[in-house]
Amino acid sequence: LKIVVDPDVLQTLDDWLLPDGMGEIVKHALCQDRKLLKMLDDHDGPLADPDFLERVVRRTIELKCQVIDIDPKEKREAVVLVYGHTLGHPVEAISHRPGSLCCLSHGQAVAIGCVVAARVAVKMGLCDAFVITRTVALCRKYELPVQIPADQSADRIMAKLPYNKTWTKEGTVMCLLEGVGRLFNVDQQYLLPVSDAVIREAVVETMAPPGTRGRADIF
């Protein structure tokens, strides 16, 4: 199997699509790989820099292939692929309702989901609050939102959790950080049960302040 990628094609995209793609790359850096995290930290040029894009895209593909190779059904190591998605998916879906303040792309919603997941991990005592600060700073650096749009509600978001692949008959399970660049696990089990109360608290803390109206207010 070969994966062929032409990074030059990225130069033809609309400006907003590059940050959108960075949502998944930031996710991999936060939960899987400090090498990729360092690449993102060290870059101080334009996002469209072809050399930078080639390096981070190549590394992200390598990381995804590594975990899929050893865990093709995404039950253990490969759950890194759904990091940030447990809350990202509901936020994304709700943002596509007619009349919403802003319609979020997938990468933007995953970034918000990563912020919520960081707050959940802190509330569960798996890591310290630095993980939240680090997540927010990295998302902002790559022009990704860090707050849930103010026209959404915790009730609506919570009601969509049963439609996620991380939902079980016992409730929501999530993969969570124990530190930047690595997931918490118990005997190689990376999906942890999380109470609705903890998720709701993290969601509420990630909401944009009431009255904020524009897309710029959530970045």
Side-chain angles (χ1 to χ4, degrees), residues 66-79:
Q66 284 173 13
V67 292
I68 287 296
D69 187 49
I70 59 177
D71 180 24
K73 294 189 177 180
E74 298 181 24
K75 299 296 185 184
R76 301 184 314 278
E77 293 86 354
V79 299

Side-chain angles (χ1 to χ4, degrees), residues 86-87 90-91 93-94 97 148-164 167 172 196-197 199-207:
T86 301
L87 278 304
V91 170
I94 294 169
R97 292 177 303 124
I148 300 167
D151 64 334
Q152 298 198 22
S153 71
D155 286 343
R156 277 204 186 101
I157 292 168
M158 298 299 294
K160 285 195 171 291
L161 290 180
Y163 302 98
N164 266 325
W167 175 267
T172 296
D196 283 356
I199 295 173
R200 181 180 288 272
E201 284 180 18
V203 166
V204 169
E205 289 176 11
T206 311
M207 296 291 297

Side-chain angles (χ1 to χ4, degrees), residues 63-208:
L63 292 168
K64 186 166 186 175
C65 289
Q66 284 173 13
V67 292
I68 287 296
D69 187 49
I70 59 177
D71 180 24
K73 294 189 177 180
E74 298 181 24
K75 299 296 185 184
R76 301 184 314 278
E77 293 86 354
V79 299
V80 297
L81 303 177
V82 298
Y83 183 70
H85 287 63
T86 301
L87 278 304
H89 279 151
V91 170
E92 180 181 6
I94 294 169
S95 80
H96 287 248
R97 292 177 303 124
S100 292
L101 283 178
C102 57
C103 183
L104 296 169
S105 66
H106 181 68
Q108 290 171 333
V110 167
I112 294 171
C114 288
V115 175
V116 179
R119 289 200 163 101
V120 169
V122 171
K123 290 180 181 298
M124 292 180 65
L126 304 180
C127 60
D128 61 40
F130 173 72
V131 168
I132 301 172
T133 304
R134 193 78 164 82
T135 299
V136 169
L138 193 62
C139 288
R140 282 181 169 153
K141 178 175 181 178
Y142 288 98
E143 303 171 30
L144 291 161
V146 296
Q147 292 182 303
I148 300 167
D151 64 334
Q152 298 198 22
S153 71
D155 286 343
R156 277 204 186 101
I157 292 168
M158 298 299 294
K160 285 195 171 291
L161 290 180
Y163 302 98
N164 266 325
K165 64 163 61 175
T166 52
W167 175 267
T168 69
K169 62 183 180 181
E170 289 81 22
T172 296
V173 293
M174 296 177 68
C175 52
L176 298 166
L177 299 184
E178 65 176 6
V180 176
R182 65 185 186 279
L183 290 179
F184 182 87
N185 76 91
V186 178
D187 298 327
Q188 302 301 303
Q189 296 298 315
Y190 293 85
L191 288 171
L192 308 175
V194 184
S195 72
D196 283 356
V198 168
I199 295 173
R200 181 180 288 272
E201 284 180 18
V203 166
V204 169
E205 289 176 11
T206 311
M207 296 291 297

Side-chain angles (χ1 to χ4, degrees), residues 14 52 110:
D14 293 340
F52 167 71
V110 167

